[in-house]
Amino acid sequence: MWSMMPPCTLHPFFIAQTLFIPSIRSISSKMAKDPVRVLVTGAAGQIGYALVPMIARGVMLGADQPVILHMLDIPPAAESLNGVKMELVDAAFPLLKGVVATTDVVEACTGVNIAVMVGGFPRKEGMERKDVMSKNVSIYKSQASALEKHAAANCKVLVVANPANTNALILKEFAPSIPEKNISCLTRLDHNRALGQISERLGVQVSDVKNVIIWGNHSSTQYPDVNHATVTTPSGDKAVRELVADDAWLNGEFISTVQQRGAAIIKARKFSSALSAASSACDHIRDWVLGTPQGTWVSMGVYSDGSYNVPAGLIYSFPVTCANGEWTIVQGLPIDEFSRKKLDLTGEELSEEKALAYSCLS
């Protein structure tokens, strides 16, 4: 058929393709997302080393979201930090559109949309709690000021370094222009640990377990609560308590295992949790930015508004749902007497930490 066409006449198929290709490119360029700038402090450390490739691969913000990584660490870690940058370049991540590796806090914070605060001063043998708190108050005061002045508008902040709840509270104090709803701390690691324990106990997929809750502090007083948790089964969702059928385990060993899991990993690995902490940080930000699945909540350390009779003004872990980049505390869950005591205990510890931190400021 084509041989009968006049010389130099294009077949309609090729005309259509010629017209269509530029329009595809035009649409593609319009749909391409602008890179999101993500800050990781303490980036040369173990958690940072596990976290930055996850961010670069799209685990945190999605497989279609380009990122520019800002990595900050202290001057003694500068050479190691540069080594991490070299590895990021060598990995040739398609989503990674740039890397800033620096020991300058202003350079690190400039223009960032998301800040994951992994760097902090760890407690060392023989140190009193107030000594550790004083060191971290100084660090978070400085970094809060830099974020306040140089981060992008509506920057979201996740504090990972311990004491995470109180570090987040200090950061809030010294970055007043960052909305309190944009400052959170990581209890998703504890939440995921609780999911994992239930999954192991029942021999079910962890993806079928949902709606555990971590209440309170990211410490050994946290309360892992399964009273509202369910497991998806072929016959519908079933209550975790009903399936486990062992209240002694759920009210005892389960809680202490989740509370002490970090210490158990240090004993086994001789290092603190890094892989799981990095993965949980990605989960936290991803759900915050992209939203939680319908009917599912997660645990986040957020600024208390007095819900569940928790003192207002603490960064306290609650069950939350997320939509349109905002979290909302799940309301109206019944709290039994056993749980009430646990919620109050961890709240008292956070109030004491807050008082200690503020005494360090003065």
Side-chain angles (χ1 to χ4, degrees), residues 16-62:
Q17 288 297 297
T18 306
L19 293 172
F20 189 56
I21 288 169
S23 64
I24 283 279
R25 286 179 181 149
S26 169
I27 291 168
S28 174
S29 63
K30 286 178 184 173
M31 289 177 65
K33 294 183 174 180
D34 291 331
V36 170
R37 292 182 178 269
V38 182
L39 166 65
V40 177
T41 71
Q46 282 208 93
I47 296 174
Y49 186 71
L51 177 59
V52 292
M54 294 184 188
I55 299 170
R57 196 175 285 282
V59 175
M60 177 178 280
L61 293 170

Short mmCIF file of all heavy atoms in Angstrom, two decimals, residues 16-62:
data_model
loop_
_atom_site.label_atom_id
_atom_site.label_comp_id
_atom_site.label_asym_id
_atom_site.label_seq_id
_atom_site.Cartn_x
_atom_site.Cartn_y
_atom_site.Cartn_z
N ALA A 16 1.30 11.41 12.47
CA ALA A 16 0.76 11.40 13.84
C ALA A 16 1.88 11.28 14.87
O ALA A 16 1.89 11.98 15.88
CB ALA A 16 -0.23 10.24 14.00
N GLN A 17 2.84 10.39 14.60
CA GLN A 17 3.96 10.22 15.53
C GLN A 17 4.77 11.50 15.66
O GLN A 17 5.17 11.88 16.75
CB GLN A 17 4.87 9.08 15.05
CG GLN A 17 4.27 7.71 15.21
CD GLN A 17 4.03 7.39 16.68
OE1 GLN A 17 4.97 7.33 17.46
NE2 GLN A 17 2.78 7.23 17.06
N THR A 18 5.00 12.18 14.52
CA THR A 18 5.79 13.41 14.54
C THR A 18 5.11 14.48 15.38
O THR A 18 5.75 15.21 16.13
CB THR A 18 5.98 13.94 13.10
OG1 THR A 18 6.52 12.90 12.30
CG2 THR A 18 6.92 15.13 13.07
N LEU A 19 3.79 14.53 15.26
CA LEU A 19 3.04 15.53 16.04
C LEU A 19 2.96 15.13 17.51
O LEU A 19 2.94 15.98 18.39
CB LEU A 19 1.61 15.67 15.47
CG LEU A 19 1.51 16.27 14.07
CD1 LEU A 19 0.08 16.16 13.57
CD2 LEU A 19 1.96 17.73 14.09
N PHE A 20 2.94 13.81 17.76
CA PHE A 20 2.68 13.31 19.11
C PHE A 20 3.92 13.39 20.01
O PHE A 20 3.82 13.70 21.18
CB PHE A 20 2.20 11.86 19.01
CG PHE A 20 1.70 11.29 20.30
CD1 PHE A 20 0.67 11.92 20.99
CD2 PHE A 20 2.24 10.12 20.83
CE1 PHE A 20 0.19 11.39 22.17
CE2 PHE A 20 1.77 9.60 22.01
CZ PHE A 20 0.74 10.23 22.68
N ILE A 21 5.09 13.17 19.43
CA ILE A 21 6.32 13.09 20.25
C ILE A 21 6.58 14.39 21.02
O ILE A 21 6.82 14.36 22.22
CB ILE A 21 7.53 12.67 19.39
CG1 ILE A 21 7.38 11.19 19.02
CG2 ILE A 21 8.84 12.91 20.12
CD1 ILE A 21 8.36 10.71 17.97
N PRO A 22 6.53 15.57 20.37
CA PRO A 22 6.77 16.79 21.15
C PRO A 22 5.75 16.97 22.27
O PRO A 22 6.09 17.45 23.34
CB PRO A 22 6.65 17.90 20.11
CG PRO A 22 6.87 17.24 18.79
CD PRO A 22 6.33 15.86 18.95
N SER A 23 4.49 16.57 22.02
CA SER A 23 3.49 16.76 23.06
C SER A 23 3.76 15.85 24.25
O SER A 23 3.55 16.23 25.39
CB SER A 23 2.08 16.51 22.50
OG SER A 23 1.95 15.16 22.09
N ILE A 24 4.25 14.63 23.98
CA ILE A 24 4.63 13.73 25.07
C ILE A 24 5.74 14.37 25.91
O ILE A 24 5.69 14.37 27.12
CB ILE A 24 5.13 12.38 24.50
CG1 ILE A 24 3.95 11.54 24.06
CG2 ILE A 24 5.95 11.63 25.53
CD1 ILE A 24 3.24 10.79 25.16
N ARG A 25 6.75 14.91 25.24
CA ARG A 25 7.86 15.54 25.95
C ARG A 25 7.36 16.72 26.78
O ARG A 25 7.79 16.96 27.90
CB ARG A 25 8.93 16.00 24.96
CG ARG A 25 9.73 14.84 24.38
CD ARG A 25 10.75 15.32 23.39
NE ARG A 25 11.49 14.21 22.84
CZ ARG A 25 11.99 14.19 21.62
NH1 ARG A 25 11.82 15.22 20.81
NH2 ARG A 25 12.66 13.15 21.19
N SER A 26 6.45 17.49 26.19
CA SER A 26 5.91 18.65 26.89
C SER A 26 5.18 18.23 28.15
O SER A 26 5.37 18.80 29.22
CB SER A 26 4.95 19.40 25.95
OG SER A 26 4.22 20.35 26.64
N ILE A 27 4.33 17.17 28.00
CA ILE A 27 3.59 16.68 29.18
C ILE A 27 4.56 16.16 30.22
O ILE A 27 4.43 16.42 31.41
CB ILE A 27 2.60 15.58 28.75
CG1 ILE A 27 1.47 16.19 27.91
CG2 ILE A 27 2.00 14.88 29.97
CD1 ILE A 27 0.61 15.15 27.20
N SER A 28 5.56 15.39 29.76
CA SER A 28 6.54 14.81 30.68
C SER A 28 7.26 15.88 31.48
O SER A 28 7.45 15.76 32.68
CB SER A 28 7.54 13.95 29.90
OG SER A 28 8.55 13.49 30.74
N SER A 29 7.67 16.95 30.81
CA SER A 29 8.40 18.00 31.50
C SER A 29 7.52 18.72 32.50
O SER A 29 7.96 19.14 33.56
CB SER A 29 8.98 19.01 30.49
OG SER A 29 7.94 19.65 29.80
N LYS A 30 6.22 18.83 32.17
CA LYS A 30 5.30 19.49 33.09
C LYS A 30 5.05 18.61 34.32
O LYS A 30 4.83 19.10 35.41
CB LYS A 30 3.97 19.79 32.39
CG LYS A 30 4.04 20.94 31.40
CD LYS A 30 2.71 21.15 30.69
CE LYS A 30 2.83 22.25 29.64
NZ LYS A 30 1.60 22.36 28.83
N MET A 31 5.05 17.27 34.10
CA MET A 31 4.74 16.36 35.19
C MET A 31 5.95 16.10 36.09
O MET A 31 5.79 15.65 37.22
CB MET A 31 4.24 15.03 34.62
CG MET A 31 2.84 15.14 34.00
SD MET A 31 2.32 13.58 33.26
CE MET A 31 2.20 12.52 34.70
N ALA A 32 7.16 16.34 35.61
CA ALA A 32 8.36 16.08 36.40
C ALA A 32 8.32 16.92 37.68
O ALA A 32 8.05 18.12 37.65
CB ALA A 32 9.60 16.41 35.59
N LYS A 33 8.59 16.28 38.81
CA LYS A 33 8.53 16.98 40.10
C LYS A 33 9.83 17.72 40.37
O LYS A 33 10.91 17.26 40.00
CB LYS A 33 8.28 15.97 41.22
CG LYS A 33 6.91 15.30 41.15
CD LYS A 33 6.73 14.38 42.35
CE LYS A 33 5.33 13.79 42.40
NZ LYS A 33 5.15 12.90 43.56
N ASP A 34 9.72 18.85 41.05
CA ASP A 34 10.90 19.56 41.52
C ASP A 34 11.55 18.74 42.63
O ASP A 34 10.85 18.10 43.43
CB ASP A 34 10.53 20.94 42.06
CG ASP A 34 10.06 21.88 40.97
OD1 ASP A 34 10.51 21.72 39.82
OD2 ASP A 34 9.23 22.77 41.26
N PRO A 35 12.89 18.77 42.73
CA PRO A 35 13.55 18.02 43.80
C PRO A 35 13.17 18.55 45.18
O PRO A 35 12.98 19.75 45.36
CB PRO A 35 15.04 18.24 43.53
CG PRO A 35 15.13 18.66 42.11
CD PRO A 35 13.86 19.40 41.81
N VAL A 36 13.05 17.66 46.13
CA VAL A 36 12.85 18.00 47.53
C VAL A 36 14.20 17.95 48.22
O VAL A 36 14.96 16.98 48.04
CB VAL A 36 11.86 17.02 48.20
CG1 VAL A 36 11.82 17.22 49.71
CG2 VAL A 36 10.47 17.17 47.61
N ARG A 37 14.51 19.00 48.98
CA ARG A 37 15.79 19.03 49.71
C ARG A 37 15.60 18.39 51.09
O ARG A 37 14.78 18.86 51.88
CB ARG A 37 16.29 20.47 49.85
CG ARG A 37 16.71 21.08 48.50
CD ARG A 37 17.25 22.50 48.63
NE ARG A 37 17.67 23.00 47.33
CZ ARG A 37 18.89 22.89 46.83
NH1 ARG A 37 19.84 22.28 47.54
NH2 ARG A 37 19.18 23.36 45.64
N VAL A 38 16.35 17.34 51.35
CA VAL A 38 16.23 16.59 52.60
C VAL A 38 17.54 16.68 53.38
O VAL A 38 18.60 16.28 52.87
CB VAL A 38 15.90 15.10 52.34
CG1 VAL A 38 15.72 14.36 53.66
CG2 VAL A 38 14.64 14.97 51.48
N LEU A 39 17.46 17.23 54.58
CA LEU A 39 18.63 17.33 55.46
C LEU A 39 18.71 16.09 56.36
O LEU A 39 17.70 15.67 56.95
CB LEU A 39 18.50 18.58 56.34
CG LEU A 39 19.45 18.69 57.55
CD1 LEU A 39 20.91 18.79 57.11
CD2 LEU A 39 19.06 19.87 58.43
N VAL A 40 19.91 15.53 56.47
CA VAL A 40 20.19 14.49 57.46
C VAL A 40 21.38 14.96 58.28
O VAL A 40 22.47 15.17 57.74
CB VAL A 40 20.52 13.13 56.80
CG1 VAL A 40 20.89 12.09 57.87
CG2 VAL A 40 19.35 12.64 55.96
N THR A 41 21.17 15.17 59.59
CA THR A 41 22.29 15.53 60.45
C THR A 41 22.90 14.25 61.01
O THR A 41 22.24 13.19 61.05
CB THR A 41 21.85 16.44 61.61
OG1 THR A 41 21.06 15.69 62.55
CG2 THR A 41 21.03 17.63 61.10
N GLY A 42 24.16 14.32 61.41
CA GLY A 42 24.84 13.10 61.84
C GLY A 42 24.96 12.09 60.72
O GLY A 42 24.93 10.88 60.92
N ALA A 43 25.11 12.61 59.49
CA ALA A 43 25.00 11.76 58.30
C ALA A 43 26.14 10.77 58.13
O ALA A 43 26.01 9.80 57.39
CB ALA A 43 24.89 12.65 57.05
N ALA A 44 27.28 11.01 58.79
CA ALA A 44 28.40 10.08 58.68
C ALA A 44 28.30 8.93 59.68
O ALA A 44 29.09 7.99 59.63
CB ALA A 44 29.72 10.82 58.87
N GLY A 45 27.33 9.02 60.58
CA GLY A 45 27.15 7.97 61.58
C GLY A 45 26.42 6.76 61.02
O GLY A 45 26.05 6.71 59.85
N GLN A 46 26.20 5.80 61.89
CA GLN A 46 25.60 4.52 61.45
C GLN A 46 24.20 4.68 60.89
O GLN A 46 23.88 4.14 59.83
CB GLN A 46 25.57 3.55 62.63
CG GLN A 46 26.90 2.90 62.94
CD GLN A 46 26.68 1.55 63.57
OE1 GLN A 46 26.65 0.52 62.90
NE2 GLN A 46 26.50 1.55 64.87
N ILE A 47 23.35 5.42 61.59
CA ILE A 47 21.98 5.60 61.11
C ILE A 47 21.99 6.41 59.82
O ILE A 47 21.31 6.07 58.85
CB ILE A 47 21.09 6.28 62.18
CG1 ILE A 47 20.94 5.38 63.41
CG2 ILE A 47 19.70 6.60 61.60
CD1 ILE A 47 20.20 6.02 64.57
N GLY A 48 22.79 7.48 59.81
CA GLY A 48 22.89 8.31 58.61
C GLY A 48 23.35 7.52 57.39
O GLY A 48 22.80 7.66 56.29
N TYR A 49 24.33 6.64 57.61
CA TYR A 49 24.88 5.83 56.52
C TYR A 49 23.83 4.87 55.97
O TYR A 49 23.80 4.58 54.76
CB TYR A 49 26.10 5.06 57.03
CG TYR A 49 26.84 4.29 55.96
CD1 TYR A 49 27.58 4.96 54.99
CD2 TYR A 49 26.81 2.90 55.93
CE1 TYR A 49 28.28 4.25 54.01
CE2 TYR A 49 27.49 2.19 54.97
CZ TYR A 49 28.22 2.86 54.00
OH TYR A 49 28.90 2.16 53.03
N ALA A 50 22.95 4.36 56.86
CA ALA A 50 21.86 3.49 56.41
C ALA A 50 20.73 4.29 55.77
O ALA A 50 20.05 3.81 54.86
CB ALA A 50 21.33 2.68 57.60
N LEU A 51 20.53 5.53 56.24
CA LEU A 51 19.38 6.32 55.84
C LEU A 51 19.53 6.98 54.47
O LEU A 51 18.59 6.97 53.66
CB LEU A 51 19.12 7.40 56.91
CG LEU A 51 17.99 8.39 56.66
CD1 LEU A 51 16.65 7.68 56.48
CD2 LEU A 51 17.91 9.38 57.82
N VAL A 52 20.70 7.56 54.20
CA VAL A 52 20.80 8.37 52.97
C VAL A 52 20.58 7.57 51.68
O VAL A 52 19.93 8.08 50.76
CB VAL A 52 22.12 9.20 52.93
CG1 VAL A 52 22.09 10.29 53.99
CG2 VAL A 52 23.36 8.33 53.05
N PRO A 53 21.04 6.32 51.57
CA PRO A 53 20.71 5.58 50.34
C PRO A 53 19.22 5.26 50.22
O PRO A 53 18.69 5.19 49.11
CB PRO A 53 21.55 4.30 50.44
CG PRO A 53 21.89 4.15 51.86
CD PRO A 53 21.97 5.54 52.42
N MET A 54 18.54 5.07 51.35
CA MET A 54 17.10 4.84 51.30
C MET A 54 16.38 6.07 50.75
O MET A 54 15.47 5.95 49.92
CB MET A 54 16.56 4.51 52.70
CG MET A 54 17.05 3.20 53.28
SD MET A 54 16.26 2.89 54.90
CE MET A 54 17.17 1.43 55.43
N ILE A 55 16.79 7.25 51.21
CA ILE A 55 16.19 8.49 50.71
C ILE A 55 16.48 8.64 49.21
O ILE A 55 15.59 8.95 48.42
CB ILE A 55 16.73 9.71 51.48
CG1 ILE A 55 16.39 9.61 52.97
CG2 ILE A 55 16.19 11.01 50.90
CD1 ILE A 55 17.09 10.64 53.84
N ALA A 56 17.73 8.38 48.83
CA ALA A 56 18.14 8.53 47.43
C ALA A 56 17.44 7.54 46.51
O ALA A 56 17.25 7.81 45.32
CB ALA A 56 19.66 8.36 47.31
N ARG A 57 17.01 6.42 47.05
CA ARG A 57 16.34 5.38 46.25
C ARG A 57 14.83 5.60 46.16
O ARG A 57 14.15 4.91 45.41
CB ARG A 57 16.65 4.00 46.84
CG ARG A 57 16.35 2.84 45.90
CD ARG A 57 16.79 1.52 46.49
NE ARG A 57 18.22 1.34 46.43
CZ ARG A 57 18.90 0.99 45.36
NH1 ARG A 57 18.27 0.79 44.21
NH2 ARG A 57 20.21 0.83 45.40
N GLY A 58 14.30 6.54 46.94
CA GLY A 58 12.88 6.83 46.88
C GLY A 58 12.05 6.16 47.96
O GLY A 58 10.82 6.22 47.92
N VAL A 59 12.71 5.54 48.93
CA VAL A 59 11.97 4.84 49.99
C VAL A 59 11.19 5.83 50.85
O VAL A 59 10.08 5.54 51.30
CB VAL A 59 12.94 4.02 50.87
CG1 VAL A 59 12.22 3.38 52.06
CG2 VAL A 59 13.63 2.95 50.03
N MET A 60 11.75 7.02 51.07
CA MET A 60 11.12 8.00 51.94
C MET A 60 9.99 8.77 51.26
O MET A 60 8.91 8.95 51.85
CB MET A 60 12.17 8.99 52.47
CG MET A 60 11.59 10.10 53.35
SD MET A 60 12.86 11.22 54.00
CE MET A 60 13.50 10.27 55.38
N LEU A 61 10.19 9.22 50.03
CA LEU A 61 9.26 10.15 49.40
C LEU A 61 8.61 9.62 48.13
O LEU A 61 7.80 10.32 47.53
CB LEU A 61 9.97 11.48 49.11
CG LEU A 61 10.40 12.27 50.35
CD1 LEU A 61 11.30 13.43 49.97
CD2 LEU A 61 9.20 12.75 51.13
N GLY A 62 8.95 8.41 47.75
CA GLY A 62 8.31 7.82 46.58
C GLY A 62 9.23 7.69 45.39
O GLY A 62 10.21 8.45 45.25
#
